[in-house]
Amino acid sequence: MKSNDWLHGFRHSSPYINAHRGRTVVLTIPGDAIEHGNFINIIHDIALLSSLGVRLVVAFGARPQIQTRLDGAGAESSFAQGLRITPEQQLPMVMEAIGGLRAFLESQLSMGLVNSPMHNARIRVSSGNYVAARPVGVLDGIDFGYTGRVRRVDVAGIEKLLELGHIVLLPPMGYSPTGDAFNLSYEDVGSQVAAALQAEKLLVFIDDEGLLEEDGSLIRELSARQASERLAAGAVTGHDAALLRAACDACVKGVRRAHIISYVNDGALLEEMFTRDGSGTLVSGDNYEQIRQARVEDIGGILELIQPLEEQGVLVRRSREMLETEIDRFVVAERDGTIVGCAALYYYPEEQAGELSCFAVNPSYRRAGRGDDILAMVEKLAKAQGIQNLFVLTTQTEHWFRERGFQISSVQALPGPKLASYNAQRKSKVFVKPL
């Protein structure tokens, strides 16, 4: 029997196609990716995104190509602080390597062979002096020569091209009012351009599946705060640190999401764009934008989320009718239309106490700090209501709450109405956190 998996996937991609149409997405592609065998598939996927109405900016790197050019000329290469030092005599060779790579990318995006994914694509590619640069200068006694940093982005110029349906191709070069050209980090170009355009997404290609933990497991999601903490602690090093810093900087400056995805895995770009959980590592800004007051239409999602925990005895059972009457007490974490976390706050005004209840997070998002973000939102709401102490009853997650400032208390310390309804058979432990 013929499989219809493609049909199911195609139909379920429709919401994402609609969501991304007319939105700006910035891709940062390293020179290593351009030399990889999977790059032709990335070209095809870029063409598909363009045909679906996604406004695309592609910032590309050229480090291996520059290195090959310099090695061929017998020129010595020097690096410091993760940047190539570009002496004046090497600048023509750097520009030659970048110019050749730009022409190659334009040729690849111009393909239109019959029986290929590019047939009838007719993609228009534009490039130019849309990035103004300044020299890095002298750092720690080292003169970086014609290595520079992004100074300004011509947002209006890029926007006009995007409105015309062009793909904007940005090399790792920037120009100054003095007529000088500077060798730039492609990560810096991608991050700064994404921030200047207030892009919907910044997609950063890497050779691994995404950012990895020390044990080799994939880091699925980080907030900008968590990313900064990892960088400060030295938990991410080398080129991965530069990529994560670029993603983090873009999110801090207003880009909704940055994704670090593989250029080795075929289809990683489409998987990120058109499936709910995407691929690689997501770096997001303030997660509060995903956490909000619950609405009646969220009840189905909440029930689906808490039912497994009710069956395990972790949560007390709640009927749909109960949720309907108490929905205004709930906050939810929503991701692409799916409820991935929830919690309820019950207020006891006489004791100036609040109960954190029905706290649940989808297992796929627990390592991403979603629980911490929901707790922070509940604490914010509790403080706004004048609650001085937040308490929780738990049978299986006491260590999680203790690590977040909750202290063991007695059943007798519960507010009167809660004490009267306490289920002694569950033997729930009471933890309290002063606010």
Side-chain angles (χ1 to χ4, degrees):
M1 183 176 178
K2 186 177 180 179
S3 172
N4 281 335
D5 288 348
W6 71 270
L7 182 60
H8 179 272
F10 188 56
R11 283 173 175 163
H12 283 76
S13 68
S14 178
Y16 304 98
I17 293 174
N18 293 329
H20 295 315
R21 185 182 295 113
R23 301 297 179 90
T24 301
V25 173
V26 177
L27 310 179
T28 62
I29 303 178
D32 300 280
I34 298 171
E35 294 185 344
H36 193 273
N38 188 52
F39 184 65
I40 186 61
N41 294 319
I42 295 176
I43 288 290
H44 294 161
D45 293 345
I46 289 173
L48 177 58
L49 293 181
S50 179
S51 70
L52 292 173
V54 181
R55 294 153 45 105
L56 291 172
V57 178
V58 178
F60 68 91
R63 286 170 187 160
Q65 292 81 6
I66 292 172
Q67 190 63 51
T68 298
R69 179 66 184 86
L70 294 178
D71 290 345
E76 182 179 351
S77 297
S78 300
F79 298 85
Q81 301 185 28
L83 296 173
R84 177 185 296 277
I85 298 171
T86 311
E88 183 176 4
Q89 63 270 25
Q90 292 185 4
L91 183 60
M93 290 181 281
V94 170
M95 295 174 68
E96 179 183 325
I98 293 173
L101 195 56
R102 170 184 160 182
F104 171 75
L105 291 173
E106 289 177 349
S107 70
Q108 295 299 292
L109 289 168
S110 299
M111 286 192 298
L113 295 175
V114 176
N115 297 326
S116 81
M118 301 286 287
H119 183 52
N120 285 331
R122 294 189 178 91
I123 293 173
R124 292 182 175 87
V125 182
S126 295
S127 188
N129 60 338
Y130 299 108
V131 175
R134 60 176 177 81
V136 169
V138 179
L139 296 178
D140 296 329
I142 300 172
D143 186 353
F144 281 81
Y146 282 83
T147 296
R149 297 192 188 278
V150 175
R151 179 180 181 182
R152 186 177 63 256
V153 176
D154 182 2
V155 173
I158 294 175
E159 286 285 357
K160 286 182 180 179
L161 294 173
L162 294 175
E163 289 171 6
L164 293 172
H166 293 210
I167 292 178
V168 179
L169 188 62
L170 298 179
M173 294 289 297
Y175 309 95
S176 72
T178 60
D180 292 312
F182 292 95
N183 179 19
L184 305 180
S185 157
Y186 79 95
E187 303 98 331
D188 187 32
V189 173
S191 179
Q192 296 297 332
V193 169
L197 295 174
Q198 291 293 281
E200 181 75 10
K201 289 177 181 284
L202 169 66
L203 298 179
V204 181
F205 283 94
I206 191 174
D207 56 350
D208 284 318
E209 186 179 1
L211 291 179
L212 306 179
E213 299 278 13
E214 290 184 0
D215 62 3
S217 61
L218 175 66
I219 302 173
R220 291 290 300 167
E221 184 173 344
L222 291 170
S223 67
R225 171 181 54 81
Q226 291 169 329
S228 296
E229 290 172 352
R230 284 179 178 254
L231 289 168
V236 183
T237 58
H239 190 218
D240 286 1
L243 294 173
L244 181 57
R245 188 172 294 109
C248 183
D249 288 348
C251 289
V252 169
K253 294 176 180 177
V255 177
R256 289 188 60 193
R257 297 176 181 177
H259 304 262
I260 300 174
I261 63 175
S262 172
Y263 63 73
V264 176
N265 296 340
D266 185 15
L269 175 56
L270 298 184
E271 182 181 357
E272 172 49 49
M273 294 292 289
F274 300 123
T275 64
R276 189 183 76 182
D277 292 327
S279 67
T281 301
L282 163 66
V283 180
S284 60
D286 192 346
N287 277 342
Y288 286 124
E289 68 178 9
Q290 302 171 355
I291 301 174
R292 56 172 174 77
Q293 201 78 38
R295 302 186 289 261
V296 173
E297 53 265 33
D298 298 322
I299 291 176
I302 294 174
L303 285 170
E304 184 178 349
L305 179 67
I306 66 177
Q307 184 178 0
L309 297 175
E310 292 175 346
E311 293 173 352
Q312 297 168 23
V314 177
L315 295 179
V316 175
R317 289 188 179 274
R318 285 174 168 79
S319 65
R320 176 178 288 271
E321 291 73 21
M322 179 182 291
L323 285 176
E324 288 176 353
T325 60
E326 297 182 348
I327 193 64
D328 60 336
R329 302 179 187 272
F330 278 76
V331 297
V332 294
E334 180 186 20
R335 180 186 173 113
D336 290 337
T338 300
I339 303 301
V340 298
C342 69
L345 175 63
Y346 294 85
Y347 185 35
Y348 298 89
E350 292 186 7
E351 292 86 352
Q352 293 184 312
E355 179 187 8
L356 172 62
S357 184
C358 199
F359 194 8
V361 178
N362 184 302
S364 299
Y365 299 93
R366 288 175 186 167
R367 294 185 65 186
R370 190 75 63 195
D372 288 301
D373 294 327
I374 294 174
L375 176 60
M377 175 63 83
V378 171
E379 290 180 0
K380 180 179 179 180
L381 294 173
K383 291 177 181 178
Q385 295 181 23
I387 292 174
Q388 295 185 359
N389 293 290
L390 187 66
F391 69 90
V392 61
L393 276 65
T394 181
T395 58
Q396 300 182 30
T397 54
E398 66 174 88
H399 286 280
W400 192 91
F401 288 104
R402 289 175 63 182
E403 290 169 4
R404 286 151 180 82
F406 286 81
Q407 301 173 352
I408 188 72
S409 185
S410 65
V411 174
Q412 288 71 29
L414 292 172
K418 186 63 183 180
L419 180 60
S421 63
Y422 178 79
N423 186 347
Q425 293 183 340
R426 281 181 58 84
K427 297 182 179 179
S428 300
K429 294 183 179 181
V430 180
F431 287 85
V432 179
K433 180 178 182 179
L435 298 180

